[in-house]
Amino acid sequence: MTENKATLALDAQRSVELDFNAGSYGPAALDISPFRSEELYTYDPGFVNTAGCESAITYIDARNSILLHRGFPVDQLAEHCTFPEVSYILLHGQAPSREEYDRFTDSITRHTMIHQQMTRMLSGFRRDSHPMALMCAVVGALAAFYHDALDVGKPQDRELAALRLLAKMPTVAAMCYKYTIEQPSVYPRNSLSYTGNFLHMLFAIPAERYEVNPVLERAMNRILILHADHGQCPSTTTVRTAGSSGANPFACIAAALASMWGPLHGGANEACMRMLEEISTVDRIPAFVNRAKDRHDSFRLMGFGNSIYHHFDPRAAILRKTCHEVLNALGMEDNLLQVAMELEHIALTDAFFLENKLYPSADFYTALILKAMGLPSSMFTVITAVGRTTGWIAHWNEMHSQPLKTCRPRQVYTGEERRDFVSRL
């Protein structure tokens, strides 16, 4: 083994030399492409030890609870940036100048409207549909309306598609929400900020003027930023896998939405709220906490601990601060919010939670903030998806700026050996 190479002995006669691929941060990766000539695969369920791409967008240090976007700490971005500013950073790699920022936000503003035929498309769905089901359908259908810029080989088409998706996702999300609560959709107000406009479309009604609460606007801005990207998570990997076939960006983002829907990914904040509903009252908390401590009980407290970070989620601290700002501004009369605050107290003081590093997660605080705003739990994953869209687009665009290679993982076949067919009819 040399400084930049490793030699793997296959047997007494054969060996293969592998290069190290070292990034700017984190562990180096072994380049196993020589395995192909040796007719070998690696076996890595879930690809948890496999780097499927090179990326300059997001770095996660799980051991030290560090999350960087283009080198910038995520807490600094959440404190000092607007969501469009972070979107620009993820897409372009650097913080924008005033001129670049104004041009970027103006371009997004000019694409916030949704074609009227798309609003009529919703009438084919049940009113009690899950908003994520509607989102998957509507975002996938965008390709049928904006097919003028779907040549993924052209940078100008990719840029236009990125702007359209960033601009239209809040409009689509609000439109799907309004449909499920049987209210008319609200047109965008381009005089508002990105997050102010999103809140306006979610909560305004045509008969009354809606005034954006600055505390909620700041909270929504932070939620979108802190969910903007999280490395090669399932939904981002889905974008890259679908995009590797040359699929259009709207199809890729629709696929990512389906992937994010699961309770082990973007649906975790919705699952957290369902858990609070199951506990229902503060006096029932001790029984559920005891169940969570019992390793033989299948019950788990959702929203505590994180499958990625060894200690705490670096996004959680600023979301905790934001959560208490929102609760102080709106009050905490809701019973489930009282349950959540008591659970938070236990998690930050109980020896079992501290020893097992079961700190309240970003999903926990996101669920509380959105609940306090008045949104149903079915919308929590939708809000997360609006924020994550910018990361999906950044990764999709990054992969197309390099030679495109079709994603084709291998498998270890465990089925029947070859056999002749004999009918059993």
Side-chain angles (χ1 to χ4, degrees):
M1 179 175 175
T2 67
E3 182 179 353
N4 298 313
K5 293 183 182 294
T7 301
L8 176 65
L10 303 179
D11 53 40
Q13 289 77 38
R14 293 189 306 157
S15 64
V16 60
E17 198 170 69
L18 306 174
D19 291 326
F20 279 98
N21 187 344
S24 54
Y25 274 133
L30 279 172
D31 182 355
I32 61 169
S33 54
F35 279 14
R36 185 160 190 162
S37 61
E38 300 291 339
E39 296 188 344
L40 286 173
Y41 299 148
T42 58
Y43 181 61
D44 184 18
F47 306 110
V48 294
N49 297 298
T50 298
C53 66
E54 292 182 354
S55 179
I57 298 171
T58 292
Y59 172 69
I60 299 173
D61 182 342
R63 189 174 301 278
N64 296 303
S65 297
I66 294 172
L67 175 60
L68 306 177
H69 293 325
R70 299 290 192 179
F72 301 115
V74 70
D75 57 323
Q76 293 181 15
L77 297 177
E79 281 284 10
H80 303 297
C81 295
T82 66
F83 179 69
E85 190 175 3
V86 173
S87 297
Y88 186 97
I89 290 169
L90 289 174
L91 288 169
H92 298 284
Q94 295 294 337
S97 66
R98 169 52 61 182
E99 181 183 354
E100 290 168 334
Y101 179 76
D102 290 342
R103 185 165 58 246
F104 183 68
T105 54
D106 180 66
S107 297
I108 291 175
T109 300
R110 288 189 286 108
H111 289 287
T112 54
M113 291 288 292
I114 293 291
H115 199 289
Q116 196 62 32
Q117 285 180 250
M118 297 202 72
T119 62
R120 291 200 293 270
M121 187 180 86
L122 285 178
S123 63
F125 295 94
R126 290 171 56 108
R127 290 279 185 177
D128 58 357
S129 300
H130 196 290
M132 281 296 286
L134 304 182
M135 286 283 286
C136 290
V138 174
V139 172
L142 286 171
F145 290 84
Y146 303 105
H147 48 75
D148 58 318
L150 292 182
D151 188 341
V152 298
K154 293 181 178 179
Q156 62 270 28
D157 279 16
R158 297 202 303 270
E159 182 179 5
L160 180 56
L163 289 171
R164 282 173 168 165
L165 278 161
L166 283 173
K168 296 180 189 302
M169 282 297 278
T171 311
V172 171
M175 181 177 71
C176 293
Y177 172 55
K178 289 293 193 180
Y179 183 77
T180 61
I181 62 173
E182 301 189 34
Q183 286 186 6
S185 297
V186 176
Y187 285 131
R189 276 179 55 192
N190 291 342
S191 61
L192 298 173
S193 70
Y194 188 94
T195 49
N197 186 41
F198 189 23
L199 290 170
H200 164 256
M201 291 188 291
L202 285 170
F203 297 116
I205 57 175
E208 298 177 9
R209 181 174 177 80
Y210 177 78
E211 295 294 336
V212 178
N213 184 323
V215 175
L216 302 190
E217 184 176 9
R218 181 169 61 250
M220 182 62 78
N221 185 66
R222 288 174 179 170
I223 286 173
L224 297 184
I225 288 174
L226 293 169
H227 290 90
D229 192 50
H230 210 228
Q232 301 306 310
C233 59
S235 58
T236 300
T237 300
T238 298
V239 168
R240 284 184 173 268
T241 302
S244 74
S245 71
N248 72 75
F250 304 110
C252 294
I253 302 306
L257 285 164
S259 177
M260 174 171 266
W261 195 353
L264 300 183
H265 188 14
N269 43 34
E270 183 178 350
C272 177
M273 188 53 61
R274 286 201 300 269
M275 176 201 70
L276 295 177
E277 291 169 350
E278 182 181 1
I279 297 174
S280 74
T281 58
V282 173
D283 62 288
R284 287 163 52 89
I285 290 177
F288 281 90
V289 169
N290 289 335
R291 289 183 61 190
K293 294 179 179 180
D294 185 353
R295 300 189 184 279
H296 301 291
D297 195 313
S298 60
F299 175 78
R300 293 291 178 267
L301 286 173
M302 299 298 294
F304 295 86
N306 188 284
S307 61
I308 300 298
Y309 300 101
H310 295 188
H311 300 287
F312 62 89
D313 186 333
R315 302 167 297 175
I318 194 163
L319 281 172
R320 179 176 187 270
K321 171 186 172 183
T322 305
C323 177
H324 286 277
E325 289 174 356
V326 170
L327 294 179
N328 288 335
L330 301 181
M332 202 181 68
E333 296 181 3
D334 186 276
N335 192 54
L336 295 186
L337 294 178
Q338 294 174 17
V339 171
M341 289 297 96
E342 178 60 24
L343 279 175
E344 180 199 40
H345 173 72
I346 292 172
L348 296 176
T349 57
D350 187 279
F352 174 83
F353 286 84
L354 296 176
E355 290 169 6
N356 290 279
K357 300 180 175 63
L358 297 177
Y359 305 108
S361 68
D363 296 316
F364 177 78
Y365 290 116
T366 299
L368 299 192
I369 295 168
L370 297 178
K371 170 69 174 176
M373 286 183 180
L375 289 166
S377 59
S378 60
M379 277 296 293
F380 293 178
T381 312
V382 173
I383 303 297
T384 303
V386 172
R388 186 58 54 86
T389 298
T390 189
W392 292 334
I393 296 169
H395 283 275
W396 177 82
N397 197 48
E398 182 182 61
M399 68 179 292
H400 281 287
S401 66
Q402 305 163 354
L404 197 62
K405 186 173 180 63
T406 305
C407 182
R408 184 64 169 86
R410 303 304 179 181
Q411 64 180 24
V412 176
Y413 176 68
T414 59
E416 298 286 346
E417 297 182 1
R418 186 190 184 282
R419 52 183 174 169
D420 293 324
F421 174 75
V422 177
S423 177
R424 299 179 64 191
L425 300 181

